[in-house]
Amino acid sequence: MPVSRPFYRSLHFQVLAGILLGVLFGALFPATAVKMKPLGDGFIRLIRMIIAPIIFCTVVVGIGTAGDMKKLGRIGVKALFYFEVVTTFALLIGLVVVKVLQPGAGINADPRTLDAKSIAAYAAPGQALSTVDFFLNIIPDTLVGAFAKGEVLQVLLIAILFGVALANVEHGHRIINGCEHFSHALFGIMEIIMKAAPVGAFGAMAFTIGRFGLATLIPLAKLMGCVILTSAAFIVLILGSIAAYVGVNLWKLLKYLKEELLVVLGTSSSEAALPGLMKKLEGLGCAKHVVGLVVPSGYSFNLDGTSIYLTIAAIFVAQATNTHLTLGQEAILLLVLMLTSKGSAAVTGGGFITLAATLSSLGTVPVAGIALLLGVDRFMSQVRAFTNLIGNAVAAIVVAKWEKELDETVMAAALKE
């Protein structure tokens, strides 16, 4: 019988310990804790360093070995359809909960007295966000530039074109095999980087608590509770039902992804867990080309947690500033958020910037009101990232099931462990 490792040597325990130590350190030594920020930033940079080549190799190998270009198009259409339906549900659930609980009621904030300067850094880049700009941004200026900037959708586009070309080129299988071997080395690098995850989680959490403090949560506890409750309900009811529909137990899936979820919780970045998520989904029995297409595109088009946050935050600002919105204005707000949320992953602090851009473009809710969210946005970003990760995991499984590219025997064995 193989000897099991001590619990304290498992990555998920070490990351959890890093998160708890970060909270404690941030609460006790806030001035020093703020200086821990480079630890979290450094870990995320290490992950981002290998995201582009991992996506490229995974997609090229998946498309090159799949062979059927019609299948590729079908997967893309099904994935986009799924993304739009589920994120629309997320927006609607967020609207219903925030209307019922009214977390902003009674705050009576005057937009004229709020610190507009504090949101200038978010509102300025937000003005540039538009649907047209977002889709044009998918096309890179140069092949090398896409990798240098680490733009996920640009790399995905190049990988798709490269994979399709290799599938139709004589001796293309040699390059595909080379990409597969290279991807093994990249995942080996990722395993080395993940050993630093506890340190990264500690640094990110210590900075968050030290910079903003737990006391900042008290005035906006109702808003935080609203976002957490809505996200939890969405995960359990919507994603849980979808997972059950394709024969997956959500709780077993969450247990299977526990390391990635803890990394996201500690770093507030779903991007930090992207390579690990792709590897785990392949280990779950999802075909490589399905994972390679669905997961990277989902990071821009399937942001369930961000959709929930944007709806609640926008209506919260309206409630807090006593801005009355008609049913028609709320419907327009949802439609605009449905479009602008797709670009939020392409910008640092994307959720906050997207909110600023949306409120600025509509003019019905005072954009200065989002200054009320500054103190708790970092905490809510953890909830957003957590929900986004689970949503993309379920999406990949669903599309693989639809395409009959899910090995259910492998999945059953993986979820039993």
Side-chain angles (χ1 to χ4, degrees):
M1 285 182 65
V3 180
S4 60
R5 292 191 305 169
F7 72 92
Y8 56 83
R9 295 191 63 183
S10 64
L11 181 62
H12 64 272
F13 173 82
Q14 293 173 359
V15 172
L16 182 60
I19 293 172
L20 295 176
L21 288 173
V23 171
L24 187 63
F25 191 75
L28 296 177
F29 312 103
T32 307
V34 171
K35 298 177 182 178
M36 299 295 108
K37 188 174 186 289
L39 296 177
D41 291 347
F43 172 71
I44 293 175
R45 284 192 179 192
L46 284 170
I47 293 291
R48 284 178 176 166
M49 175 182 72
I50 62 167
I51 284 177
I54 280 181
I55 289 175
F56 178 79
C57 290
T58 301
V59 174
V60 168
V61 173
I63 293 175
T65 54
D68 188 353
M69 296 306 106
K70 288 183 179 179
K71 180 189 294 185
L72 174 66
R74 193 169 62 241
I75 291 171
V77 169
K78 287 181 178 179
L80 289 175
F81 171 77
Y82 174 90
F83 295 162
E84 200 54 54
V85 170
V86 176
T87 52
T88 300
F89 266 109
L91 287 166
L92 290 171
I93 289 174
L95 179 63
V96 170
V97 173
V98 75
K99 292 280 286 182
V100 171
L101 298 183
Q102 298 192 11
I107 293 179
N108 301 319
D110 186 345
R112 295 171 295 181
T113 62
L114 294 172
D115 184 10
K117 292 181 180 178
S118 63
I119 64 167
Y122 300 96
Q127 300 296 329
L129 289 175
S130 72
T131 305
V132 174
D133 289 337
F134 173 68
F135 281 105
L136 283 177
N137 190 54
I138 296 176
I139 305 172
D141 294 327
T142 64
L143 286 175
V144 177
F147 290 90
K149 294 177 183 177
E151 294 282 356
V152 171
L153 288 182
Q154 291 184 0
V155 172
L156 181 60
L157 174 63
I158 294 171
I160 291 172
L161 295 174
F162 201 75
V164 171
L166 286 179
N168 294 285
V169 171
E170 188 178 0
H171 304 306
H173 65 278
R174 295 178 182 176
I175 300 177
I176 294 170
N177 290 337
C179 285
E180 185 166 17
H181 291 309
F182 186 51
S183 71
H184 293 326
L186 290 172
F187 279 114
I189 294 172
M190 188 194 72
E191 289 181 7
I192 296 171
I193 293 173
M194 288 305 294
K195 294 183 185 298
V199 178
F202 166 79
M205 189 59 70
F207 165 76
T208 300
I209 302 299
R211 171 67 177 81
F212 300 104
L214 293 173
T216 60
L217 301 180
I218 297 173
L220 297 176
K222 194 172 181 181
L223 172 63
M224 284 285 295
C226 189
V227 173
I228 293 171
L229 173 66
T230 308
S231 299
F234 178 82
I235 292 169
V236 174
L237 300 178
I238 304 300
L239 295 182
S241 298
I242 294 171
Y245 169 72
V246 294
V248 177
N249 184 298
L250 180 65
W251 305 114
K252 289 183 178 179
L253 178 63
L254 297 183
K255 182 181 177 183
Y256 178 72
L257 298 173
K258 58 182 178 292
E259 291 176 359
E260 287 71 27
L261 291 171
L262 285 172
V263 168
V264 165
L265 188 64
T267 62
S268 301
S269 170
S270 55
E271 195 177 42
L274 191 153
L277 176 63
M278 292 176 69
K279 186 177 182 181
K280 283 284 186 72
L281 287 170
E282 287 181 35
L284 201 60
C286 297
K288 185 185 288 287
H289 59 280
V290 174
V291 173
L293 286 173
V294 175
V295 175
S297 58
Y299 267 63
S300 283
F301 294 99
N302 188 40
L303 302 172
D304 302 326
T306 304
S307 297
I308 290 170
Y309 163 78
L310 289 173
T311 309
I312 292 177
I315 302 298
F316 167 82
V317 171
Q319 293 171 350
T321 56
N322 296 316
T323 303
H324 175 71
L325 295 177
T326 65
L327 189 61
Q329 288 173 326
E330 289 177 350
I332 292 172
L333 178 61
L334 281 183
L335 288 173
V336 175
L337 285 174
M338 202 178 297
L339 296 173
T340 56
S341 64
K342 306 308 182 207
S344 63
V347 186
T348 303
F352 209 76
I353 292 172
T354 299
L355 181 61
T358 303
L359 298 188
S360 297
S361 63
L362 290 176
T364 52
V365 180
V367 69
I370 68 173
L372 296 167
L373 305 172
L374 283 172
V376 296
D377 183 69
R378 178 80 182 192
F379 296 97
M380 288 193 288
S381 70
Q382 295 172 318
V383 183
R384 295 197 299 263
F386 195 83
T387 309
N388 289 341
L389 179 75
I390 299 171
N392 281 312
V394 172
I397 295 170
V398 169
V399 175
K401 176 82 171 184
W402 284 348
E403 282 294 301
K404 296 182 173 57
E405 297 282 0
L406 177 65
D407 191 326
E408 297 191 34
T409 303
V410 172
M411 182 178 69
L415 294 181
K416 278 184 180 179
E417 293 179 2

